[in-house]
PDB file of all heavy atoms in Angstrom:
ATOM      1  N   MET A   1     -25.821  36.404   7.202  1.00 39.00           N
ATOM      2  CA  MET A   1     -26.112  37.005   8.506  1.00 39.00           C
ATOM      3  C   MET A   1     -25.276  38.352   8.599  1.00 39.00           C
ATOM      4  O   MET A   1     -24.140  38.190   8.393  1.00 39.00           O
ATOM      5  CB  MET A   1     -26.012  36.058   9.609  1.00 39.00           C
ATOM      6  CG  MET A   1     -26.796  36.420  10.802  1.00 39.00           C
ATOM      7  SD  MET A   1     -26.360  35.237  12.100  1.00 39.00           S
ATOM      8  CE  MET A   1     -26.591  33.594  11.182  1.00 39.00           C
ATOM      9  N   SER A   2     -25.802  39.324   9.334  1.00 45.00           N
ATOM     10  CA  SER A   2     -25.030  40.557   9.445  1.00 45.00           C
ATOM     11  C   SER A   2     -24.072  40.458  10.755  1.00 45.00           C
ATOM     12  O   SER A   2     -24.226  39.639  11.494  1.00 45.00           O
ATOM     13  CB  SER A   2     -25.924  41.754   9.657  1.00 45.00           C
ATOM     14  OG  SER A   2     -26.553  41.597  10.950  1.00 45.00           O
ATOM     15  N   ALA A   3     -23.170  41.394  10.704  1.00 53.00           N
ATOM     16  CA  ALA A   3     -22.342  41.598  11.797  1.00 53.00           C
ATOM     17  C   ALA A   3     -21.490  40.425  12.471  1.00 53.00           C
ATOM     18  O   ALA A   3     -21.092  40.323  13.553  1.00 53.00           O
ATOM     19  CB  ALA A   3     -23.238  42.165  13.026  1.00 53.00           C
ATOM     20  N   GLY A   4     -21.232  39.618  11.441  1.00 61.00           N
ATOM     21  CA  GLY A   4     -20.162  38.687  11.810  1.00 61.00           C
ATOM     22  C   GLY A   4     -20.670  37.372  12.531  1.00 61.00           C
ATOM     23  O   GLY A   4     -19.688  36.659  12.801  1.00 61.00           O
ATOM     24  N   PHE A   5     -21.870  37.312  12.820  1.00 77.00           N
ATOM     25  CA  PHE A   5     -22.207  35.969  13.610  1.00 77.00           C
ATOM     26  C   PHE A   5     -22.584  35.016  12.522  1.00 77.00           C
ATOM     27  O   PHE A   5     -23.256  35.182  11.587  1.00 77.00           O
ATOM     28  CB  PHE A   5     -23.605  36.236  14.441  1.00 77.00           C
ATOM     29  CG  PHE A   5     -23.046  36.930  15.728  1.00 77.00           C
ATOM     30  CD1 PHE A   5     -23.221  38.351  15.951  1.00 77.00           C
ATOM     31  CD2 PHE A   5     -22.572  36.207  16.799  1.00 77.00           C
ATOM     32  CE1 PHE A   5     -22.808  38.947  17.085  1.00 77.00           C
ATOM     33  CE2 PHE A   5     -22.133  36.807  17.999  1.00 77.00           C
ATOM     34  CZ  PHE A   5     -22.350  38.178  18.096  1.00 77.00           C
ATOM     35  N   THR A   6     -22.058  33.767  12.771  1.00 92.00           N
ATOM     36  CA  THR A   6     -22.162  32.597  11.843  1.00 92.00           C
ATOM     37  C   THR A   6     -23.477  31.753  12.390  1.00 92.00           C
ATOM     38  O   THR A   6     -23.942  31.860  13.529  1.00 92.00           O
ATOM     39  CB  THR A   6     -21.102  31.645  11.852  1.00 92.00           C
ATOM     40  OG1 THR A   6     -20.860  31.181  13.127  1.00 92.00           O
ATOM     41  CG2 THR A   6     -19.782  32.507  11.518  1.00 92.00           C
ATOM     42  N   ALA A   7     -24.018  30.996  11.371  1.00 95.00           N
ATOM     43  CA  ALA A   7     -25.096  30.166  11.837  1.00 95.00           C
ATOM     44  C   ALA A   7     -24.615  29.198  12.810  1.00 95.00           C
ATOM     45  O   ALA A   7     -25.412  28.883  13.692  1.00 95.00           O
ATOM     46  CB  ALA A   7     -25.581  29.462  10.533  1.00 95.00           C
ATOM     47  N   GLU A   8     -23.411  28.827  12.764  1.00 96.00           N
ATOM     48  CA  GLU A   8     -22.868  27.896  13.760  1.00 96.00           C
ATOM     49  C   GLU A   8     -22.785  28.341  15.167  1.00 96.00           C
ATOM     50  O   GLU A   8     -23.207  27.818  16.176  1.00 96.00           O
ATOM     51  CB  GLU A   8     -21.458  27.386  13.393  1.00 96.00           C
ATOM     52  CG  GLU A   8     -21.258  26.586  12.176  1.00 96.00           C
ATOM     53  CD  GLU A   8     -21.619  27.287  10.895  1.00 96.00           C
ATOM     54  OE1 GLU A   8     -21.463  28.553  10.781  1.00 96.00           O
ATOM     55  OE2 GLU A   8     -22.060  26.524   9.974  1.00 96.00           O
ATOM     56  N   GLN A   9     -22.520  29.701  15.207  1.00 97.00           N
ATOM     57  CA  GLN A   9     -22.517  30.380  16.586  1.00 97.00           C
ATOM     58  C   GLN A   9     -24.009  30.487  17.147  1.00 97.00           C
ATOM     59  O   GLN A   9     -24.182  30.048  18.257  1.00 97.00           O
ATOM     60  CB  GLN A   9     -22.002  31.761  16.575  1.00 97.00           C
ATOM     61  CG  GLN A   9     -20.351  31.738  16.433  1.00 97.00           C
ATOM     62  CD  GLN A   9     -19.908  33.072  16.100  1.00 97.00           C
ATOM     63  OE1 GLN A   9     -20.337  33.823  15.310  1.00 97.00           O
ATOM     64  NE2 GLN A   9     -18.861  33.444  16.977  1.00 97.00           N
ATOM     65  N   LEU A  10     -24.895  30.812  16.244  1.00 98.00           N
ATOM     66  CA  LEU A  10     -26.222  30.915  16.710  1.00 98.00           C
ATOM     67  C   LEU A  10     -26.835  29.588  17.061  1.00 98.00           C
ATOM     68  O   LEU A  10     -27.581  29.640  18.199  1.00 98.00           O
ATOM     69  CB  LEU A  10     -27.057  31.605  15.588  1.00 98.00           C
ATOM     70  CG  LEU A  10     -28.472  32.117  15.971  1.00 98.00           C
ATOM     71  CD1 LEU A  10     -28.156  33.368  16.879  1.00 98.00           C
ATOM     72  CD2 LEU A  10     -29.230  32.541  14.605  1.00 98.00           C
ATOM     73  N   THR A  11     -26.537  28.669  16.319  1.00 98.00           N
ATOM     74  CA  THR A  11     -27.189  27.264  16.730  1.00 98.00           C
ATOM     75  C   THR A  11     -26.413  26.753  17.947  1.00 98.00           C
ATOM     76  O   THR A  11     -27.109  26.161  18.780  1.00 98.00           O
ATOM     77  CB  THR A  11     -26.856  26.241  15.563  1.00 98.00           C
ATOM     78  OG1 THR A  11     -25.531  26.229  15.285  1.00 98.00           O
ATOM     79  CG2 THR A  11     -27.598  26.558  14.366  1.00 98.00           C
ATOM     80  N   GLN A  12     -25.191  27.039  18.287  1.00 98.00           N
ATOM     81  CA  GLN A  12     -24.473  26.571  19.389  1.00 98.00           C
ATOM     82  C   GLN A  12     -25.198  27.345  20.676  1.00 98.00           C
ATOM     83  O   GLN A  12     -25.416  26.681  21.715  1.00 98.00           O
ATOM     84  CB  GLN A  12     -22.949  26.993  19.390  1.00 98.00           C
ATOM     85  CG  GLN A  12     -22.264  26.245  20.481  1.00 98.00           C
ATOM     86  CD  GLN A  12     -22.465  24.741  20.605  1.00 98.00           C
ATOM     87  OE1 GLN A  12     -22.522  24.099  19.679  1.00 98.00           O
ATOM     88  NE2 GLN A  12     -22.537  24.311  21.864  1.00 98.00           N
ATOM     89  N   VAL A  13     -25.489  28.671  20.482  1.00 98.00           N
ATOM     90  CA  VAL A  13     -26.169  29.293  21.728  1.00 98.00           C
ATOM     91  C   VAL A  13     -27.561  28.721  21.931  1.00 98.00           C
ATOM     92  O   VAL A  13     -27.990  28.416  23.038  1.00 98.00           O
ATOM     93  CB  VAL A  13     -26.304  30.775  21.368  1.00 98.00           C
ATOM     94  CG1 VAL A  13     -27.145  31.509  22.381  1.00 98.00           C
ATOM     95  CG2 VAL A  13     -24.871  31.562  21.362  1.00 98.00           C
ATOM     96  N   ALA A  14     -28.234  28.292  20.912  1.00 98.00           N
ATOM     97  CA  ALA A  14     -29.531  27.698  21.098  1.00 98.00           C
ATOM     98  C   ALA A  14     -29.318  26.348  21.810  1.00 98.00           C
ATOM     99  O   ALA A  14     -30.167  25.995  22.733  1.00 98.00           O
ATOM    100  CB  ALA A  14     -30.188  27.532  19.674  1.00 98.00           C
ATOM    101  N   ILE A  15     -28.316  25.527  21.384  1.00 98.00           N
ATOM    102  CA  ILE A  15     -28.124  24.229  22.046  1.00 98.00           C
ATOM    103  C   ILE A  15     -27.848  24.455  23.520  1.00 98.00           C
ATOM    104  O   ILE A  15     -28.321  23.742  24.370  1.00 98.00           O
ATOM    105  CB  ILE A  15     -27.074  23.443  21.280  1.00 98.00           C
ATOM    106  CG1 ILE A  15     -27.475  22.978  19.872  1.00 98.00           C
ATOM    107  CG2 ILE A  15     -26.437  22.358  22.078  1.00 98.00           C
ATOM    108  CD1 ILE A  15     -26.409  22.480  19.061  1.00 98.00           C
ATOM    109  N   GLU A  16     -27.072  25.435  23.807  1.00 98.00           N
ATOM    110  CA  GLU A  16     -26.673  25.690  25.139  1.00 98.00           C
ATOM    111  C   GLU A  16     -27.905  26.256  25.980  1.00 98.00           C
ATOM    112  O   GLU A  16     -28.155  25.895  27.208  1.00 98.00           O
ATOM    113  CB  GLU A  16     -25.482  26.696  25.294  1.00 98.00           C
ATOM    114  CG  GLU A  16     -24.221  25.939  25.028  1.00 98.00           C
ATOM    115  CD  GLU A  16     -23.016  26.902  24.711  1.00 98.00           C
ATOM    116  OE1 GLU A  16     -23.137  28.112  25.247  1.00 98.00           O
ATOM    117  OE2 GLU A  16     -22.085  26.600  24.125  1.00 98.00           O
ATOM    118  N   ALA A  17     -28.753  27.176  25.365  1.00 98.00           N
ATOM    119  CA  ALA A  17     -29.754  27.698  26.070  1.00 98.00           C
ATOM    120  C   ALA A  17     -30.849  26.451  26.508  1.00 98.00           C
ATOM    121  O   ALA A  17     -31.528  26.560  27.532  1.00 98.00           O
ATOM    122  CB  ALA A  17     -30.507  28.770  25.180  1.00 98.00           C
ATOM    123  N   ARG A  18     -30.863  25.579  25.594  1.00 98.00           N
ATOM    124  CA  ARG A  18     -31.960  24.469  25.779  1.00 98.00           C
ATOM    125  C   ARG A  18     -31.590  23.743  27.171  1.00 98.00           C
ATOM    126  O   ARG A  18     -32.535  23.194  27.797  1.00 98.00           O
ATOM    127  CB  ARG A  18     -31.775  23.470  24.557  1.00 98.00           C
ATOM    128  CG  ARG A  18     -32.684  22.259  24.598  1.00 98.00           C
ATOM    129  CD  ARG A  18     -32.515  21.394  23.492  1.00 98.00           C
ATOM    130  NE  ARG A  18     -33.219  20.117  23.656  1.00 98.00           N
ATOM    131  CZ  ARG A  18     -32.558  19.021  24.214  1.00 98.00           C
ATOM    132  NH1 ARG A  18     -31.268  19.119  24.477  1.00 98.00           N
ATOM    133  NH2 ARG A  18     -33.268  17.884  24.357  1.00 98.00           N
ATOM    134  N   LEU A  19     -30.339  23.740  27.526  1.00 98.00           N
ATOM    135  CA  LEU A  19     -29.919  23.011  28.862  1.00 98.00           C
ATOM    136  C   LEU A  19     -30.606  23.906  30.024  1.00 98.00           C
ATOM    137  O   LEU A  19     -30.744  23.202  31.126  1.00 98.00           O
ATOM    138  CB  LEU A  19     -28.477  22.927  28.951  1.00 98.00           C
ATOM    139  CG  LEU A  19     -27.785  22.315  27.876  1.00 98.00           C
ATOM    140  CD1 LEU A  19     -26.226  22.418  28.049  1.00 98.00           C
ATOM    141  CD2 LEU A  19     -28.238  20.812  27.774  1.00 98.00           C
ATOM    142  N   ASN A  20     -31.040  25.052  29.871  1.00 98.00           N
ATOM    143  CA  ASN A  20     -31.682  25.767  30.985  1.00 98.00           C
ATOM    144  C   ASN A  20     -33.311  25.628  30.848  1.00 98.00           C
ATOM    145  O   ASN A  20     -33.922  26.186  31.762  1.00 98.00           O
ATOM    146  CB  ASN A  20     -31.256  27.220  30.909  1.00 98.00           C
ATOM    147  CG  ASN A  20     -29.811  27.328  31.170  1.00 98.00           C
ATOM    148  OD1 ASN A  20     -29.326  26.804  32.086  1.00 98.00           O
ATOM    149  ND2 ASN A  20     -29.204  28.564  30.536  1.00 98.00           N
ATOM    150  N   ALA A  21     -33.759  24.825  29.969  1.00 99.00           N
ATOM    151  CA  ALA A  21     -35.225  24.757  29.762  1.00 99.00           C
ATOM    152  C   ALA A  21     -35.771  24.318  31.156  1.00 99.00           C
ATOM    153  O   ALA A  21     -35.346  23.364  31.752  1.00 99.00           O
ATOM    154  CB  ALA A  21     -35.566  23.789  28.772  1.00 99.00           C
ATOM    155  N   TYR A  22     -36.912  24.925  31.499  1.00 99.00           N
ATOM    156  CA  TYR A  22     -37.675  24.451  32.590  1.00 99.00           C
ATOM    157  C   TYR A  22     -38.907  23.804  32.093  1.00 99.00           C
ATOM    158  O   TYR A  22     -39.856  24.459  31.685  1.00 99.00           O
ATOM    159  CB  TYR A  22     -38.064  25.747  33.469  1.00 99.00           C
ATOM    160  CG  TYR A  22     -38.909  25.352  34.765  1.00 99.00           C
ATOM    161  CD1 TYR A  22     -38.298  24.546  35.692  1.00 99.00           C
ATOM    162  CD2 TYR A  22     -40.326  25.682  34.775  1.00 99.00           C
ATOM    163  CE1 TYR A  22     -39.071  24.222  36.889  1.00 99.00           C
ATOM    164  CE2 TYR A  22     -41.044  25.264  35.719  1.00 99.00           C
ATOM    165  CZ  TYR A  22     -40.454  24.706  36.948  1.00 99.00           C
ATOM    166  OH  TYR A  22     -41.232  24.229  37.925  1.00 99.00           O
ATOM    167  N   ALA A  23     -38.806  22.425  32.016  1.00 99.00           N
ATOM    168  CA  ALA A  23     -39.919  21.716  31.343  1.00 99.00           C
ATOM    169  C   ALA A  23     -40.313  20.422  32.121  1.00 99.00           C
ATOM    170  O   ALA A  23     -40.238  19.302  31.569  1.00 99.00           O
ATOM    171  CB  ALA A  23     -39.558  21.358  29.962  1.00 99.00           C
ATOM    172  N   PRO A  24     -40.626  20.671  33.406  1.00 99.00           N
ATOM    173  CA  PRO A  24     -40.966  19.439  34.253  1.00 99.00           C
ATOM    174  C   PRO A  24     -42.274  18.804  33.821  1.00 99.00           C
ATOM    175  O   PRO A  24     -42.478  17.616  34.225  1.00 99.00           O
ATOM    176  CB  PRO A  24     -41.091  19.990  35.508  1.00 99.00           C
ATOM    177  CG  PRO A  24     -41.410  21.382  35.416  1.00 99.00           C
ATOM    178  CD  PRO A  24     -40.777  21.857  34.156  1.00 99.00           C
ATOM    179  N   TYR A  25     -43.106  19.300  33.095  1.00 98.00           N
ATOM    180  CA  TYR A  25     -44.417  18.851  32.827  1.00 98.00           C
ATOM    181  C   TYR A  25     -44.418  18.069  31.461  1.00 98.00           C
ATOM    182  O   TYR A  25     -44.846  16.954  31.348  1.00 98.00           O
ATOM    183  CB  TYR A  25     -45.481  19.912  32.851  1.00 98.00           C
ATOM    184  CG  TYR A  25     -45.377  20.581  34.169  1.00 98.00           C
ATOM    185  CD1 TYR A  25     -44.935  21.820  34.334  1.00 98.00           C
ATOM    186  CD2 TYR A  25     -45.796  20.007  35.242  1.00 98.00           C
ATOM    187  CE1 TYR A  25     -44.990  22.424  35.469  1.00 98.00           C
ATOM    188  CE2 TYR A  25     -45.714  20.529  36.582  1.00 98.00           C
ATOM    189  CZ  TYR A  25     -45.265  21.786  36.566  1.00 98.00           C
ATOM    190  OH  TYR A  25     -45.144  22.355  37.852  1.00 98.00           O
ATOM    191  N   SER A  26     -43.734  18.606  30.461  1.00 98.00           N
ATOM    192  CA  SER A  26     -43.627  17.962  29.162  1.00 98.00           C
ATOM    193  C   SER A  26     -42.390  17.095  29.024  1.00 98.00           C
ATOM    194  O   SER A  26     -42.306  16.206  28.220  1.00 98.00           O
ATOM    195  CB  SER A  26     -43.739  18.979  27.978  1.00 98.00           C
ATOM    196  OG  SER A  26     -42.539  19.842  27.930  1.00 98.00           O
ATOM    197  N   GLY A  27     -41.436  17.565  29.674  1.00 98.00           N
ATOM    198  CA  GLY A  27     -40.011  16.920  29.501  1.00 98.00           C
ATOM    199  C   GLY A  27     -39.436  17.312  28.169  1.00 98.00           C
ATOM    200  O   GLY A  27     -38.422  16.661  27.819  1.00 98.00           O
TER     201      GLY A  27
END
Side-chain angles (χ1 to χ4, degrees):
M1 200 184 314
S2 72
F5 281 97
T6 65
E8 288 70 26
Q9 285 173 308
L10 197 64
T11 58
Q12 191 55 41
V13 171
I15 288 170
E16 284 170 19
R18 179 176 170 272
L19 300 176
N20 291 326
Y22 177 71
Y25 304 105
S26 73

